[in-house]
């Protein structure tokens, strides 16, 4: 009877350990979703362990976001800079990788998804733009493409759909444009357009925004690129009409809308097929997946013996769960004209597709980890029934997906270019959705002599 309390305790511990990262940080997420950023910051600072342990990258990502939302731009960039340095310093730790192999991936420091790494530079660029610091904003935009190239170099087969970022090139174009560098702006706009029409249209269902097409035509005309202008006029089915007024300045408004997805977990069941001396295959016919393993120098006799009695293996893996948008349309109104905010980056789609690509690359490693653990349980059971039970409980406690992710990222990034008078201006922001009340907000845009003003609007 002494075993029963142990079983109950183990079961309760198992259930508590199944909570996802989102559930474990519910208080912080609730404060953010309610717009109570001061309280969210207190929650972050209260959990000092996170700033030092395996989750410290997520800590600084969230801290950077909180300062961003509170308008504390310098503090925001300082936190994002720390997060960026931590991602660059990450090296493959053999001890931690071994621990992850026999337990679960949450035992190692969090490795941001590729798009999360890129979003660090996006936020830093937007911070600099709001400070009218075009030079440093441009540095961050350029970093995006360098970092993407570095990230994709990790994949020898390049089986990764997120290889180029159209929004990064669009952002560079906007910054060059605002700085008066029309030639580089045209090149950046052209690069962005090409990526939208190829990679983004195919992989993420997103084509080039209409405003990008307009800026392509405008910069081609300004540079006297007659052939390029004619080509794009023909491709866009429109004639470019230059503006004559010179007493205007532009407002470029970014709309960060909603929240990106959160990670939960799902399981895939595989059946083992013996392929004779030297190898086995785990396959799932429903999903059309098959992973062969051939015994060589990398596997021990213990591994081979432990797998002898294993026929079915279930592997858990992280998956994204969408957080649907409340607001689906944003319009800026000024001087009796309406300017719809156009989608430039669909972080939700990028997240789903990049995680799916990573799953296919890493599934074989996860499969072998679980198979070996199950094999060890089988061997223990042959020696002692209770020992086998204990190993089974340990396997259940440690076999879980890594559900950590940067959960304060937006669902979508949209933008619009609005021509304003060279004075203080009042614009009206209208956001709406099929299941929520329409919100109208008056926003004051101060006068600027630089010709272009950048503004970031966020809906949670």
């Amino acid at each position: 009877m002494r075993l029963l309390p142990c079983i109950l305790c183990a079961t309760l511990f198992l259930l508590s350990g199944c909570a996802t990262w989102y559930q474990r940080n519910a208080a912080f997420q609730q404060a953010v979703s309610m717009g109570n950023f001061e309280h969210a910051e207190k929650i972050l600072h209260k959990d000092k362990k996170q700033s030092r342990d395996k989750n410290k990258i997520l800590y600084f990502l969230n801290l950077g976001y909180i300062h961003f939302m509170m308008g504390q731009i310098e503090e925001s960039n300082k936190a994002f800079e720390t997060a960026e340095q931590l991602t660059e310093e990450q090296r493959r730790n053999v001890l931690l990788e071994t621990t992850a192999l026999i337990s679960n991936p949450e035992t190692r420091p969090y490795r941001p998804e590729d798009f999360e790494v890129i979003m660090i530079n996006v936020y830093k660029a937007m911070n600099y733009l709001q400070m009218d610091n075009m030079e440093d904003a441009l540095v961050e935009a350029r970093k995006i493409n360098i970092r993407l190239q570095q990230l994709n170099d990790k994949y020898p087969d390049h089986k990764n759909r997120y290889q180029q970022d159209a929004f990064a090139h669009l952002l560079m174009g906007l910054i060059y444009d605002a700085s008066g560098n029309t030639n580089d702006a045209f090149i950046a706009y052209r690069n962005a357009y090409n990526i939208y029409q190829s990679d983004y249209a195919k992989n993420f269902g997103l084509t080039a925004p209409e405003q990008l097409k307009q800026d392509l035509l405008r910069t081609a005309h300004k540079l006297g690129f007659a052939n390029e202008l004619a080509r794009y006029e023909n491709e866009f089915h429109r004639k470019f009409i230059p503006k004559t007024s010179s007493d205007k300045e532009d407002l470029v408004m970014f709309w960060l809308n909603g929240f990106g997805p959160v990670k939960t977990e799902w399981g895939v069941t595989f059946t083992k097929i013996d392929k004779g001396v030297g190898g086995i295959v785990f396959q799932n016919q429903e999903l059309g997946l098959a992973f062969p393993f051939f015994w060589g120098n990398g596997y021990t006799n213990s591994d081979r013996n432990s797998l002898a009695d294993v026929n079915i293996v279930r592997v858990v893996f992280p998956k994204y769960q969408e957080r649907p948008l409340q607001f689906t349309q944003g319009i800026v109104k000024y001087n009796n004209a309406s300017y719809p905010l156009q989608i430039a980056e669909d972080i939700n789609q990028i997240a789903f597709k990049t995680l799916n690509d990573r799953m296919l690359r890493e599934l074989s490693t996860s499969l072998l980890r679980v198979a070996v653990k199950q094999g060890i349980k089988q061997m223990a059971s042959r020696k002692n029934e209770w020992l086998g039970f204990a190993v089974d409980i340990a396997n259940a406690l440690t076999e879980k997906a890594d559900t950590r992710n940067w959960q304060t990222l937006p669902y979508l990034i949209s933008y619009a270019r609005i021509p304003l008078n060279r004075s203080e201006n009042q614009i009206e922001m209208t956001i709406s959705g099929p299941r929520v009340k329409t919100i109208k907000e008056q926003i004051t845009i101060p006068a600027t002599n630089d010709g272009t003003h950048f503004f970031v609007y966020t809906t949670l």
Side-chain angles (χ1 to χ4, degrees), residues 261-301:
V262 297
K263 283 179 182 173
T264 180
E265 67 176 34
W266 68 297
V268 184
T269 301
F270 288 86
T271 303
K272 187 188 79 172
I273 301 174
D274 286 307
K275 303 297 287 185
V277 178
I280 58 174
V281 174
F282 286 102
Q283 73 171 19
N284 179 295
Q285 292 184 338
E286 182 180 355
L287 297 177
L289 299 174
F291 295 93
F293 295 97
F294 295 97
W295 302 121
N297 295 331
Y299 300 97
T300 65
N301 288 329

Short mmCIF file of all heavy atoms in Angstrom, two decimals, residues 261-301:
data_model
loop_
_atom_site.label_atom_id
_atom_site.label_comp_id
_atom_site.label_asym_id
_atom_site.label_seq_id
_atom_site.Cartn_x
_atom_site.Cartn_y
_atom_site.Cartn_z
N PRO A 261 0.70 33.37 -32.75
CA PRO A 261 0.24 32.12 -32.14
C PRO A 261 1.07 31.73 -30.92
O PRO A 261 2.16 32.25 -30.69
CB PRO A 261 0.43 31.11 -33.27
CG PRO A 261 1.58 31.65 -34.06
CD PRO A 261 1.43 33.15 -34.01
N VAL A 262 0.52 30.82 -30.13
CA VAL A 262 1.23 30.24 -28.99
C VAL A 262 1.45 28.76 -29.27
O VAL A 262 0.74 28.15 -30.08
CB VAL A 262 0.45 30.43 -27.67
CG1 VAL A 262 0.32 31.91 -27.35
CG2 VAL A 262 -0.92 29.77 -27.73
N LYS A 263 2.43 28.20 -28.61
CA LYS A 263 2.75 26.80 -28.82
C LYS A 263 2.02 25.89 -27.84
O LYS A 263 1.92 26.19 -26.65
CB LYS A 263 4.26 26.56 -28.70
CG LYS A 263 5.07 27.01 -29.89
CD LYS A 263 6.55 26.75 -29.67
CE LYS A 263 7.38 27.25 -30.86
NZ LYS A 263 8.83 27.17 -30.59
N THR A 264 1.50 24.80 -28.38
CA THR A 264 1.00 23.71 -27.57
C THR A 264 1.72 22.46 -28.07
O THR A 264 2.77 22.58 -28.69
CB THR A 264 -0.54 23.60 -27.69
OG1 THR A 264 -1.01 22.52 -26.89
CG2 THR A 264 -0.97 23.40 -29.13
N GLU A 265 1.21 21.26 -27.81
CA GLU A 265 1.90 20.09 -28.31
C GLU A 265 0.94 19.11 -28.95
O GLU A 265 -0.27 19.13 -28.68
CB GLU A 265 2.71 19.40 -27.21
CG GLU A 265 1.90 18.77 -26.09
CD GLU A 265 2.80 18.04 -25.09
OE1 GLU A 265 3.94 18.49 -24.85
OE2 GLU A 265 2.35 17.02 -24.54
N TRP A 266 1.47 18.27 -29.81
CA TRP A 266 0.69 17.24 -30.46
C TRP A 266 1.55 15.99 -30.58
O TRP A 266 2.77 16.04 -30.43
CB TRP A 266 0.19 17.69 -31.83
CG TRP A 266 1.26 17.88 -32.85
CD1 TRP A 266 2.30 18.76 -32.82
CD2 TRP A 266 1.42 17.16 -34.08
NE1 TRP A 266 3.08 18.67 -33.93
CE2 TRP A 266 2.58 17.68 -34.73
CE3 TRP A 266 0.70 16.14 -34.70
CZ2 TRP A 266 3.02 17.21 -35.96
CZ3 TRP A 266 1.14 15.68 -35.93
CH2 TRP A 266 2.28 16.20 -36.54
N GLY A 267 0.91 14.85 -30.82
CA GLY A 267 1.64 13.60 -30.87
C GLY A 267 1.47 12.88 -32.20
O GLY A 267 0.45 13.01 -32.86
N VAL A 268 2.52 12.15 -32.60
CA VAL A 268 2.50 11.34 -33.81
C VAL A 268 2.91 9.92 -33.42
O VAL A 268 3.92 9.73 -32.73
CB VAL A 268 3.46 11.88 -34.88
CG1 VAL A 268 3.34 11.06 -36.16
CG2 VAL A 268 3.20 13.35 -35.16
N THR A 269 2.13 8.93 -33.85
CA THR A 269 2.43 7.54 -33.54
C THR A 269 3.14 6.87 -34.72
O THR A 269 2.69 6.99 -35.87
CB THR A 269 1.14 6.76 -33.22
OG1 THR A 269 0.50 7.38 -32.10
CG2 THR A 269 1.45 5.31 -32.88
N PHE A 270 4.23 6.17 -34.43
CA PHE A 270 5.01 5.47 -35.45
C PHE A 270 5.06 3.98 -35.14
O PHE A 270 5.10 3.58 -33.97
CB PHE A 270 6.44 6.02 -35.51
CG PHE A 270 6.55 7.39 -36.11
CD1 PHE A 270 6.39 8.51 -35.31
CD2 PHE A 270 6.80 7.57 -37.46
CE1 PHE A 270 6.50 9.78 -35.85
CE2 PHE A 270 6.90 8.83 -38.01
CZ PHE A 270 6.74 9.94 -37.20
N THR A 271 5.08 3.18 -36.19
CA THR A 271 5.24 1.73 -36.07
C THR A 271 6.64 1.34 -36.52
O THR A 271 7.13 1.82 -37.55
CB THR A 271 4.21 0.99 -36.94
OG1 THR A 271 2.90 1.41 -36.55
CG2 THR A 271 4.34 -0.51 -36.76
N LYS A 272 7.28 0.45 -35.73
CA LYS A 272 8.63 0.01 -36.07
C LYS A 272 8.59 -1.16 -37.04
O LYS A 272 7.81 -2.10 -36.86
CB LYS A 272 9.38 -0.40 -34.81
CG LYS A 272 10.87 -0.70 -35.06
CD LYS A 272 11.56 -1.30 -33.84
CE LYS A 272 11.24 -2.79 -33.72
NZ LYS A 272 12.03 -3.44 -32.67
N ILE A 273 9.43 -1.09 -38.06
CA ILE A 273 9.57 -2.18 -39.03
C ILE A 273 11.03 -2.60 -39.06
O ILE A 273 11.91 -1.77 -39.32
CB ILE A 273 9.12 -1.75 -40.44
CG1 ILE A 273 7.66 -1.28 -40.42
CG2 ILE A 273 9.31 -2.88 -41.44
CD1 ILE A 273 7.20 -0.71 -41.74
N ASP A 274 11.29 -3.86 -38.76
CA ASP A 274 12.66 -4.36 -38.80
C ASP A 274 13.10 -4.53 -40.25
O ASP A 274 12.38 -5.09 -41.08
CB ASP A 274 12.77 -5.70 -38.06
CG ASP A 274 12.72 -5.51 -36.54
OD1 ASP A 274 13.50 -4.72 -36.03
OD2 ASP A 274 11.86 -6.16 -35.90
N LYS A 275 14.30 -4.07 -40.54
CA LYS A 275 14.85 -4.19 -41.89
C LYS A 275 16.04 -5.15 -41.93
O LYS A 275 16.92 -5.04 -42.77
CB LYS A 275 15.28 -2.81 -42.40
CG LYS A 275 14.18 -1.77 -42.40
CD LYS A 275 13.03 -2.13 -43.32
CE LYS A 275 13.39 -1.98 -44.76
NZ LYS A 275 12.24 -2.21 -45.66
N GLY A 276 16.05 -6.11 -40.99
CA GLY A 276 17.14 -7.06 -40.97
C GLY A 276 18.32 -6.53 -40.18
O GLY A 276 18.21 -5.54 -39.46
N VAL A 277 19.46 -7.17 -40.32
CA VAL A 277 20.65 -6.79 -39.56
C VAL A 277 21.10 -5.39 -39.96
O VAL A 277 21.33 -5.12 -41.13
CB VAL A 277 21.80 -7.80 -39.81
CG1 VAL A 277 23.05 -7.36 -39.04
CG2 VAL A 277 21.38 -9.20 -39.41
N GLY A 278 21.16 -4.55 -38.96
CA GLY A 278 21.73 -3.23 -39.23
C GLY A 278 20.77 -2.08 -39.32
O GLY A 278 21.20 -0.93 -39.39
N GLY A 279 19.47 -2.30 -39.28
CA GLY A 279 18.59 -1.14 -39.39
C GLY A 279 17.13 -1.42 -39.11
O GLY A 279 16.66 -2.56 -39.16
N ILE A 280 16.41 -0.33 -38.80
CA ILE A 280 14.96 -0.35 -38.60
C ILE A 280 14.37 0.89 -39.24
O ILE A 280 15.09 1.85 -39.58
CB ILE A 280 14.58 -0.38 -37.10
CG1 ILE A 280 15.19 0.84 -36.39
CG2 ILE A 280 15.00 -1.68 -36.45
CD1 ILE A 280 14.76 0.96 -34.94
N VAL A 281 13.05 0.88 -39.43
CA VAL A 281 12.33 2.03 -39.96
C VAL A 281 11.13 2.30 -39.08
O VAL A 281 10.39 1.37 -38.74
CB VAL A 281 11.87 1.80 -41.42
CG1 VAL A 281 10.99 2.96 -41.89
CG2 VAL A 281 13.06 1.64 -42.35
N PHE A 282 10.95 3.55 -38.66
CA PHE A 282 9.73 3.97 -37.99
C PHE A 282 8.88 4.71 -39.01
O PHE A 282 9.36 5.64 -39.66
CB PHE A 282 10.04 4.90 -36.80
CG PHE A 282 10.61 4.19 -35.61
CD1 PHE A 282 11.97 4.24 -35.35
CD2 PHE A 282 9.79 3.46 -34.77
CE1 PHE A 282 12.50 3.59 -34.26
CE2 PHE A 282 10.31 2.81 -33.67
CZ PHE A 282 11.67 2.86 -33.41
N GLN A 283 7.62 4.31 -39.15
CA GLN A 283 6.79 4.94 -40.17
C GLN A 283 5.40 5.24 -39.64
O GLN A 283 4.89 4.58 -38.73
CB GLN A 283 6.69 4.06 -41.41
CG GLN A 283 5.82 2.82 -41.27
CD GLN A 283 5.59 2.12 -42.62
OE1 GLN A 283 6.32 2.34 -43.57
NE2 GLN A 283 4.58 1.28 -42.67
N ASN A 284 4.80 6.29 -40.24
CA ASN A 284 3.42 6.64 -40.00
C ASN A 284 2.76 6.75 -41.36
O ASN A 284 3.03 7.69 -42.12
CB ASN A 284 3.31 7.98 -39.24
CG ASN A 284 1.88 8.41 -38.98
OD1 ASN A 284 1.14 8.69 -39.91
ND2 ASN A 284 1.50 8.46 -37.71
N GLN A 285 1.94 5.75 -41.71
CA GLN A 285 1.35 5.71 -43.04
C GLN A 285 0.36 6.84 -43.27
O GLN A 285 0.24 7.37 -44.38
CB GLN A 285 0.67 4.36 -43.26
CG GLN A 285 1.62 3.18 -43.34
CD GLN A 285 0.93 1.88 -43.65
OE1 GLN A 285 -0.27 1.74 -43.42
NE2 GLN A 285 1.68 0.91 -44.17
N GLU A 286 -0.37 7.25 -42.22
CA GLU A 286 -1.38 8.30 -42.37
C GLU A 286 -0.76 9.61 -42.83
O GLU A 286 -1.30 10.32 -43.68
CB GLU A 286 -2.11 8.51 -41.04
CG GLU A 286 -3.22 9.55 -41.11
CD GLU A 286 -3.91 9.74 -39.77
OE1 GLU A 286 -3.58 8.99 -38.82
OE2 GLU A 286 -4.75 10.63 -39.68
N LEU A 287 0.41 9.96 -42.26
CA LEU A 287 1.08 11.21 -42.62
C LEU A 287 2.12 11.01 -43.71
O LEU A 287 2.73 12.00 -44.17
CB LEU A 287 1.74 11.82 -41.38
CG LEU A 287 0.81 12.23 -40.24
CD1 LEU A 287 1.61 12.76 -39.06
CD2 LEU A 287 -0.20 13.28 -40.70
N GLY A 288 2.34 9.77 -44.10
CA GLY A 288 3.33 9.50 -45.14
C GLY A 288 4.75 9.75 -44.69
O GLY A 288 5.59 10.19 -45.48
N LEU A 289 5.05 9.49 -43.42
CA LEU A 289 6.37 9.73 -42.87
C LEU A 289 7.09 8.42 -42.61
O LEU A 289 6.49 7.46 -42.12
CB LEU A 289 6.27 10.52 -41.56
CG LEU A 289 5.63 11.91 -41.64
CD1 LEU A 289 5.47 12.49 -40.24
CD2 LEU A 289 6.47 12.84 -42.51
N ALA A 290 8.36 8.36 -42.92
CA ALA A 290 9.18 7.18 -42.65
C ALA A 290 10.60 7.63 -42.34
O ALA A 290 11.17 8.45 -43.06
CB ALA A 290 9.17 6.23 -43.85
N PHE A 291 11.15 7.09 -41.24
CA PHE A 291 12.50 7.47 -40.82
C PHE A 291 13.33 6.21 -40.58
O PHE A 291 13.09 5.47 -39.63
CB PHE A 291 12.44 8.31 -39.54
CG PHE A 291 11.76 9.62 -39.72
CD1 PHE A 291 10.40 9.75 -39.47
CD2 PHE A 291 12.46 10.74 -40.15
CE1 PHE A 291 9.75 10.96 -39.65
CE2 PHE A 291 11.83 11.96 -40.33
CZ PHE A 291 10.47 12.07 -40.08
N PRO A 292 14.30 5.95 -41.45
CA PRO A 292 15.16 4.77 -41.28
C PRO A 292 16.31 5.06 -40.32
O PRO A 292 16.82 6.18 -40.27
CB PRO A 292 15.67 4.53 -42.70
CG PRO A 292 15.70 5.88 -43.32
CD PRO A 292 14.56 6.66 -42.71
N PHE A 293 16.70 4.05 -39.54
CA PHE A 293 17.87 4.14 -38.67
C PHE A 293 18.75 2.93 -38.93
O PHE A 293 18.29 1.79 -38.82
CB PHE A 293 17.45 4.17 -37.19
CG PHE A 293 16.66 5.39 -36.82
CD1 PHE A 293 15.28 5.35 -36.79
CD2 PHE A 293 17.30 6.59 -36.51
CE1 PHE A 293 14.54 6.47 -36.45
CE2 PHE A 293 16.57 7.71 -36.18
CZ PHE A 293 15.19 7.66 -36.15
N PHE A 294 19.99 3.18 -39.29
CA PHE A 294 20.94 2.11 -39.56
C PHE A 294 22.01 2.12 -38.48
O PHE A 294 22.62 3.16 -38.22
CB PHE A 294 21.57 2.29 -40.95
CG PHE A 294 20.57 2.16 -42.06
CD1 PHE A 294 20.00 3.30 -42.62
CD2 PHE A 294 20.17 0.91 -42.53
CE1 PHE A 294 19.06 3.20 -43.63
CE2 PHE A 294 19.23 0.81 -43.54
CZ PHE A 294 18.67 1.94 -44.09
N TRP A 295 22.19 0.99 -37.85
CA TRP A 295 23.15 0.91 -36.76
C TRP A 295 24.56 1.05 -37.28
O TRP A 295 25.01 0.33 -38.14
CB TRP A 295 23.01 -0.42 -36.01
CG TRP A 295 21.64 -0.66 -35.46
CD1 TRP A 295 20.81 -1.70 -35.74
CD2 TRP A 295 20.93 0.17 -34.55
NE1 TRP A 295 19.63 -1.58 -35.05
CE2 TRP A 295 19.68 -0.44 -34.31
CE3 TRP A 295 21.22 1.38 -33.90
CZ2 TRP A 295 18.73 0.11 -33.47
CZ3 TRP A 295 20.27 1.91 -33.06
CH2 TRP A 295 19.05 1.29 -32.85
N GLY A 296 25.27 1.98 -36.72
CA GLY A 296 26.67 2.20 -37.08
C GLY A 296 27.45 2.55 -35.84
O GLY A 296 27.05 2.20 -34.72
N ASN A 297 28.52 3.25 -36.00
CA ASN A 297 29.37 3.60 -34.87
C ASN A 297 28.69 4.55 -33.89
O ASN A 297 29.10 4.67 -32.75
CB ASN A 297 30.68 4.22 -35.36
CG ASN A 297 31.52 3.24 -36.16
OD1 ASN A 297 31.43 2.02 -35.92
ND2 ASN A 297 32.31 3.75 -37.10
N GLY A 298 27.65 5.23 -34.36
CA GLY A 298 26.99 6.21 -33.50
C GLY A 298 26.02 5.61 -32.51
O GLY A 298 25.47 6.32 -31.67
N TYR A 299 25.75 4.31 -32.59
CA TYR A 299 24.78 3.68 -31.71
C TYR A 299 25.45 2.55 -30.94
O TYR A 299 26.27 1.80 -31.48
CB TYR A 299 23.60 3.13 -32.51
CG TYR A 299 22.87 4.19 -33.28
CD1 TYR A 299 23.14 4.41 -34.63
CD2 TYR A 299 21.93 4.99 -32.66
CE1 TYR A 299 22.48 5.39 -35.34
CE2 TYR A 299 21.25 5.98 -33.36
CZ TYR A 299 21.54 6.17 -34.70
OH TYR A 299 20.89 7.15 -35.40
N THR A 300 25.09 2.38 -29.67
CA THR A 300 25.68 1.36 -28.82
C THR A 300 24.85 0.09 -28.84
O THR A 300 23.69 0.07 -29.29
CB THR A 300 25.76 1.86 -27.36
OG1 THR A 300 24.42 2.05 -26.87
CG2 THR A 300 26.51 3.19 -27.29
N ASN A 301 25.44 -1.00 -28.33
CA ASN A 301 24.69 -2.25 -28.20
C ASN A 301 23.50 -2.08 -27.29
O ASN A 301 22.46 -2.71 -27.47
CB ASN A 301 25.61 -3.36 -27.67
CG ASN A 301 26.63 -3.81 -28.72
OD1 ASN A 301 26.34 -3.77 -29.91
ND2 ASN A 301 27.80 -4.22 -28.26
#
